[in-house]
Amino acid sequence: MPRVLLTGFEPFGGEAVNPSWQAVQAAAEHPPQGVELSTARLPCVFGAALDALRAAVAATRPDVVLCVGQAGGRPDVTVERIAVNLDDARIPDNAGAQPLDEPVVPGGPAAYFATLPVKACVAAVREAGLPASLSHTAGTFVCNHVFYGLMHLGATEHPGLRGGFVHVPYAPEQVTDRALPSLPVAAAAEALRVIAITAAGRDQDIRVAGGITH
């Protein structure tokens, strides 16, 4: 069976939970048939997150890596398309670091595209009755840092490794005192199962409109 590694993050920014890790754990509790699923929890710390990711890849030897992060304010599960070689932190990470205008990998390419069938993944989640869309920015915080680091790892150290990044909305418990969209962790977990199966089962993407005008 294809081996799929799912990663999520520890809480950050004063939050008590991180729905990315909650959803990864829930997905692993009831893994989809047809894939061998493993998980890893990453620190929300520049540099250390990539060290943890590299160790998890070495330990599990996956065919596909799907990193997951929290995107508070987004209303749906968003499959990321592009990782950029830029750390520009609006807030400090969990170790107090706040890099500004620095590369993730000095001398690395300006950007990497996900090597997963991103449009097919979005379509599959929607077909499962869950909200999803294609995203063209993973931000410039630790999520993008990990996304870019994952793609660089595949390009330089693990040829054939396919990977990508998914953002999930806040969990309902995080927005009880603020008017922001949320998604139950169970729904986010099901979306991750669908994406894992889709990513592991196909190399080619579907050709449908997924661009943006601004």
Side-chain angles (χ1 to χ4, degrees), residues 130-194:
L130 298 168
S133 62
L134 187 63
S135 170
H136 295 81
T137 175
T140 55
F141 196 52
V142 184
C143 286
N144 175 77
H145 181 82
V146 164
F147 184 16
Y148 185 93
L150 168 64
M151 304 316 301
H152 190 71
L153 189 66
T156 59
E157 299 180 35
H158 294 275
L161 178 67
R162 297 191 299 124
F165 199 98
V166 174
H167 270 118
V168 297
Y170 280 136
E173 66 198 86
Q174 294 176 279
V175 298
T176 54
D177 60 347
R178 46 189 169 174
L180 290 171
S182 66
L183 187 70
V185 168
E190 180 58 23
L192 296 183
R193 295 186 193 99
V194 171

Side-chain angles (χ1 to χ4, degrees), residues 8-22 25 41-45 68-70 91-95 141-142 170 173-174:
F9 283 103
E10 66 184 1
F12 72 96
E15 298 289 343
V17 298
N18 191 315
S20 69
W21 179 238
Q22 291 178 306
Q25 285 182 301
R41 185 174 186 250
L42 306 182
C44 190
V45 177
V68 187
Q70 168 191 294
I91 59 174
D93 68 12
N94 283 356
F141 196 52
V142 184
Y170 280 136
E173 66 198 86
Q174 294 176 279

